[in-house]
Amino acid sequence: MKTLRSLYATAAAASMLAVALPASAQQLSIATGGTGGVYYPIGGGFAEMINNHIEGAQATAEVTGASVENMGLIMRGDADLALALADTVYQAYTGTDDFEGRQVENIRALASVYPNAVQLVTLAESDIESIADLAGKRVSVGAPGSGTELNARALLEANGISYSDFTPQRLNFNETADAIRDGDIDAGFWSVGPPTSSILNLAATRDIRLIGLSDEEVANAREEEEVFAPYKLAAGMYDGMDEAVQTLGIPNVLVVNSDMDEELAYQLTQLLFENTDELIAVHPAANDTTIEFTMESTPVPLHPGALRYFEEVGAEIPDRLRP
């Protein structure tokens, strides 16, 4: 991946000399998620990159309710860039599922940045060994308006489990970790790039266990959501995690409004892929920020400015990514 990325950069033969931006693009808001997840550090890291490399632009990462809320922020022009789960982005763009009757047609992608992993956490002393064991328990399904809740519900419903089978709690990542630690809930879902700080902090204070999915449960979920893919959480990712755990992965997409200035979108895409090491230094999830991953995983068309960058570096662009 590193070699290919460097070849793309060489092919681009483009310096990061700034181009004057339109006045409307000077102050950029990046919609992320809660402070206990990966969106906020990734968004903050990219904001710093923008401030350091794109003359005339100043960016700020904003704490939000994550994926679903972020689609509305982009639609209304209340955020310039946003991170969101691929299934949420696709549903918003097509007006399906949770976005039925409120389609967000003006979403365009700059890149797919890294994959999320659905992580179901409980205390090591818990009797929960599988998703079937959630019956009758108190379970956090993620913050209201988050991609975590969309993923949790899709996974559970695909395997015959509904919210009526347990007591759902809608908590953000930090609240979920605190509630598990304090015994206020029995388990909680995260859909986030691993490792995530809130689970790391929980594992440092309590013995935890991550609940794996069977091959059948993964297959059922993939029938429900096309963007789901098999994913293994590596052994040792969290304290006390001695073996790899099978779960599901979902790409995270960096999106903008279709009205964004083309030159700005071009510069943002170029910045992301030609200075990826700066983002990796902020969070290891950015090791997956490659042109190949974007071409394989992005669920909606690219912004014309992003498309221009990928054409310049010789990427093989699928027809589905062309507006």
Side-chain angles (χ1 to χ4, degrees), residues 88-145:
T88 307
V89 173
Y90 182 77
Q91 289 173 19
Y93 180 72
T94 57
T96 54
D97 295 309
D98 275 26
F99 289 87
E100 187 171 350
R102 53 193 186 112
Q103 186 175 8
V104 188
E105 297 179 271
N106 57 353
I107 291 175
R108 296 293 183 271
L110 296 186
S112 287
V113 185
Y114 67 94
N116 267 18
V118 175
Q119 299 166 74
L120 177 57
V121 179
T122 188
L123 294 179
E125 64 201 42
S126 167
D127 60 357
I128 299 172
E129 301 283 350
S130 70
I131 56 173
D133 295 332
L134 297 177
K137 305 295 187 182
R138 300 159 299 172
V139 183
S140 172
V141 294

Side-chain angles (χ1 to χ4, degrees), residues 16 28-30 32 38-54 57-61 80-83 110-111 113 254-256 260 264-276 278-280 282-283 286 289:
M16 289 308 296
L28 302 176
S29 170
I30 305 176
T32 63
V38 177
Y39 281 5
Y40 186 71
I42 288 285
F46 193 48
E48 185 175 356
M49 290 166 62
I50 292 169
N51 297 340
N52 291 339
H53 293 287
I54 299 183
Q58 287 292 312
T60 305
D80 300 287
L81 302 92
L83 288 159
L110 296 186
V113 185
L254 182 62
V255 299
V256 298
M260 175 177 276
L264 174 59
Y266 172 87
Q267 288 190 55
L268 292 170
T269 308
Q270 181 186 47
L271 174 64
L272 179 64
F273 287 104
E274 297 187 9
N275 294 267
T276 313
E278 294 183 29
L279 205 56
I280 293 171
V282 173
H283 198 285
T289 303

Side-chain angles (χ1 to χ4, degrees), residues 108-191:
R108 296 293 183 271
L110 296 186
S112 287
V113 185
Y114 67 94
N116 267 18
V118 175
Q119 299 166 74
L120 177 57
V121 179
T122 188
L123 294 179
E125 64 201 42
S126 167
D127 60 357
I128 299 172
E129 301 283 350
S130 70
I131 56 173
D133 295 332
L134 297 177
K137 305 295 187 182
R138 300 159 299 172
V139 183
S140 172
V141 294
S146 70
T148 292
E149 182 173 9
L150 287 181
N151 293 161
R153 186 165 59 197
L155 164 62
L156 294 171
E157 289 182 352
N159 286 284
I161 302 168
S162 73
Y163 280 9
S164 62
D165 294 321
F166 59 90
T167 304
Q169 304 290 314
R170 290 175 171 84
L171 308 175
N172 67 30
F173 293 150
N174 286 331
E175 291 168 342
T176 298
D178 290 344
I180 292 173
R181 184 195 64 220
D182 298 338
D184 294 331
I185 61 173
D186 301 296
F189 281 95
W190 278 255
S191 186

Side-chain angles (χ1 to χ4, degrees), residues 206-287:
R206 297 294 301 270
D207 293 333
I208 66 168
R209 183 169 67 252
L210 277 86
I211 306 302
L213 302 176
S214 68
D215 291 343
E216 181 181 1
E217 289 165 347
V218 169
N220 290 341
R222 295 188 71 193
E223 286 185 13
E224 180 76 15
E225 290 289 347
E226 292 183 2
V227 297
F228 282 152
Y231 188 90
K232 281 192 181 292
L233 298 163
M237 182 169 289
Y238 300 109
D239 286 350
M241 187 176 165
D242 298 328
E243 298 180 352
V245 173
Q246 177 169 260
T247 185
L248 294 165
I250 311 98
N252 288 286
V253 189
L254 182 62
V255 299
V256 298
N257 192 294
S258 58
D259 289 338
M260 175 177 276
D261 176 73
E262 182 177 328
E263 180 60 32
L264 174 59
Y266 172 87
Q267 288 190 55
L268 292 170
T269 308
Q270 181 186 47
L271 174 64
L272 179 64
F273 287 104
E274 297 187 9
N275 294 267
T276 313
D277 289 348
E278 294 183 29
L279 205 56
I280 293 171
V282 173
H283 198 285
N287 278 291

